[in-house]
Amino acid sequence: MHRTFIALALASAAITPAFGQADVIGSGVSPSAAAHSQTRPISFSATVPTSGALVIMMRNSTLPTDIVDMTTAQALNAAIAAAKFEGKEGTSLSLRGIGSYARIVLTGTGEEGDRVTNIRNASGKAAQDLRDESQPVSITGGLNQDEAAAAALGYAMGQYRFDRYKTVDRKTPPTNPVLIVSNDAQGADSLWKSRHSALAEGVSLSRDLTNEPANVIYPETFVERVRAAFGNTANVKIEVLDEPMMRKLGMGTLVGVGQGSRRPSRLMLVEYRGGADGAPLAMVGKGITFDSGGTSLKPGAGMWEMKADMSGAANIMGAVLSLAKSKAQVNVIGVAALSENMPGGNAQRPGDVVRTMSGKTIEILNTDAEGRLVMADANEYVIANKKPGALVNMATLTGSIVGALNDEYAGLFSRDDRLAAAVVAAGTATGEEVWRMPLHKNYLDDMKSDIADIKNVVEGGGPGAGLGATFVGFFVDKAVPWAHLDIAGVNWADKAGPVTPKGASGWGVQLLDALARNWR
Ligand code: BES
Ligand code: MN
Ligand code: ZN
C-alpha cells in the first residue's frame, strides 16, 4: 500500500523510480517519437498541366498524342531519337527545361504483360526518380480510370519512406502534390479513394511493422500498432490471447518459442466481416518479432535481418486492413502468431518435447526452426475456433526457399489444387508471383520423431522448404483447403524495385487482398 503510493507519486512527477527498474524490459528509452517525413498527396485531373515536372508513360518510342503542344512534342521526339529511348519497362529519360516545363521524364512501361501492372510499376519508379524534385509532379500518358488508379497506387508504394530515426542532416523531400491525368479523372479518384488507397495503407502498415527494429516492435507493440491502424474501422473485431490464456489452452508451441524472451508471446486475431455469406478465409502469419535462433543461436553476420521475421504476420494485417478499409464484401480472419525467439535462461533447448493445443507432440531438435512451431498452434486455434472455409499461411519459414526461388517468387505449398490455382492467379494479377513446390508424402516419414509425434527438423537438411511446409501441414485438418506461402526470399528488398524502395517489401499484401476478393 505504502510502496504503491510512493511509486504513483514518483511516476506522476515523471521520475523513474530506482526500485521500479525490475519492471523495465529493454532500456526503457524509446529511440524516437518522431513520424516519417511527409509524402506527396495524390489527386487527379482531366487536363495536363503546362508547367512543373511532367511524367509521360511510354509504351515504346512513340510519344502519345495530344499530351503536350507541338513545339514541346518536337523537342521530345528529337530527344527520344538522340537517346534511342524505346520505352522499355524499367527505363526512363529525364529532360530539363523543355518548352514550358521545368522537367519532363519519359518513363517506359513496355508493351508486354498486363498494362495496369506496367503502369503501377512505372509510376512507382517515377516516384523514386522524382523523390527530390521540388516542382509539382504530374503523370500522364492516355490513362483510363483503372490505369490512373494503378498509377496512384504505384506512386504511393514507390514514395514510401522509413526515415523517422534520422535526426542528423535529415533531408525532408518535397511534398508538392502529384497529379495524375486521366480522361476519367472522377472515376479514377473514386476508385483510388474507395479501394486503392486502402491497399497502399495496408502495404505501408506492413512495411512499417517490418522495418521497425525489434526493440520497438515486439509482440505487445505489434498488437498496439495494428490496433491503432484499424482504429474503429467498421465490421472489424480484434481478439488478443496473452500467455496465461494460451497456457490454459495448452498452446505449448507459441508460449514455448517465446519462453527465452522477456517479451511475452501473443496471438492476435483480426476478423473482418464484409457482409458476404459463408465461412471466412483465414490467413495466418508468422510473427517472430526477432529470430536469434534461440539456444540454436544463429551466426552473427546478417542476424539483424531477423527483425523482419514477422513480415508474414505484417502482410496479413496489411491485407485485412486493405479489405476492411475498402469495405470489400468478403469475410476474412487475419491471425498473427507473435513471439520473440531469444536464448534467455528459460529458453527451449534442443531435445525438448512440447505439445500443441490439439495434444500433438513435437520433439524440438533445433530451436531455430521456430516459425513452424508457432504456426502449428495458430493454425489449430483458428481452425478449432473460427471454422474457416480455407486457410492460407504466410511465413518467412526457411532459408531453403531463398536458395530455390530467390526473390523472383515465393514458394507455394498446397494440398488443394483449387486453392493453389487461386493463389497463383492472385500472384500473377498483382505481380507478386508464386511458384508451386511439392509436398511429397515421404517428407512426413522423414519427420517422424523417435519419441514424439513429429520432430521440427531433419538432421542434414534435405528439401528444407518442403519439410517445413510438411511440418506446418501436419497440424492442419485435412478437411480444410490449405496453402502455405514461404516468403523468406521476397519479404525484403536488398535493392529498390519498381514499387519497392530498399527495405521491407510488403510482398503479399496485394496478393492476399486479391485472393480474398476472388476466393469462394
Ligand atoms: N526465419 C528463419 C528463415 C529465414 C532465413 C528467413 C533467411 C529469412 C531469411 C527460420 O526461422 C529459420 O531459422 N529456418 C531455419 C530452419 C532450419 C533450422 C531447419 C533455416 O532455414 O535455416
Ligand atoms: Mn529460425
Ligand atoms: Zn524464423
Side-chain angles (χ1 to χ4, degrees), residues 61-72:
S61 59
T62 310
L63 197 66
T65 47
D66 298 331
I67 285 186
V68 289
D69 59 274
M70 277 236 301
T71 32
T72 304

Side-chain angles (χ1 to χ4, degrees), residues 286 291 298 306 309 366 368 370 372 396-399 457 488:
K286 172 175 172 181
D291 180 14
K298 284 181 181 298
M306 289 301 122
D309 212 20
N366 188 325
D368 196 12
E370 84 299 335
R372 60 196 73 183
T396 47
L397 210 68
T398 67
V457 297

Side-chain angles (χ1 to χ4, degrees), residues 158-180:
Q159 72 168 342
Y160 171 83
R161 48 190 78 140
F162 189 88
D163 58 7
R164 72 192 203 94
Y165 296 117
K166 294 272 190 193
T167 70
V168 179
D169 299 333
R170 170 158 151 188
K171 285 197 215 87
T172 306
T175 55
N176 283 330
V178 54
L179 191 72
I180 295 167

Side-chain angles (χ1 to χ4, degrees), residues 380-402:
E380 285 188 347
Y381 182 87
V382 75
I383 289 175
N385 290 279
K386 303 292 176 182
K387 307 276 178 279
L391 172 63
V392 177
N393 291 163
M394 189 172 274
T396 47
L397 210 68
T398 67
S400 158
I401 203 68
V402 190

